[in-house]
Amino acid sequence: VQLQASGGGLVQAGESLRLSCAVSRGIFSINRMGWYRQAPGKQRELVASITSGGSTNYADSVKGRFTISRDNAKNSVYLQMVSLKPEDTAVYYCNAEVWPPLKNYWGQGTLVTVSS
């Protein structure tokens, strides 16, 4: 499985961005897709995830501001981010989990910078 993330950029606080993750195979067969982020000097953390059944999960810090969605027809997953804050600045990674057995796949990351 190959993942290609895009959509990052430099925005001001309060603005919006939409990240896209293009997947090399049908995402209907992928158990869970997720977006992670890693800020400088910090560990990578889960931002949002969505299962093949459509169940979503969000980090507390982004609830109400970020929305994850998937388009099976386009083999893509999206992360809509609104009301961005400087603390959202990070490299955002797309992730795919397939099981059994558990396998993790990662995209190359896209940089989001939010200025105050």
Side-chain angles (χ1 to χ4, degrees), residues 48-69:
S49 66
I50 184 166
T51 68
S52 56
S55 297
T56 58
N57 182 52
Y58 296 93
D60 288 342
S61 59
V62 307
K63 282 181 181 177
R65 299 188 299 120
F66 291 10
T67 303
I68 189 170
S69 62

Side-chain angles (χ1 to χ4, degrees), residues 26-107:
I27 63 172
F28 60 88
S29 64
I30 296 177
N31 299 86
R32 190 176 81 158
M33 296 290 304
W35 286 97
Y36 288 72
R37 68 186 180 187
Q38 187 166 19
K42 295 188 177 181
Q43 289 188 331
R44 190 173 297 188
E45 63 174 355
L46 175 66
V47 176
S49 66
I50 184 166
T51 68
S52 56
S55 297
T56 58
N57 182 52
Y58 296 93
D60 288 342
S61 59
V62 307
K63 282 181 181 177
R65 299 188 299 120
F66 291 10
T67 303
I68 189 170
S69 62
R70 57 194 291 163
D71 186 334
N72 289 352
K74 294 183 178 180
N75 291 338
S76 294
V77 177
Y78 307 99
L79 186 67
Q80 179 68 49
M81 307 183 292
V82 302
S83 301
L84 283 161
K85 304 176 181 180
E87 51 264 42
D88 295 318
T89 295
V91 177
Y92 284 70
Y93 297 91
C94 182
N95 170 265
E97 286 184 0
V98 181
W99 66 79
L102 178 61
K103 293 183 179 180
N104 257 297
Y105 301 92
W106 294 93

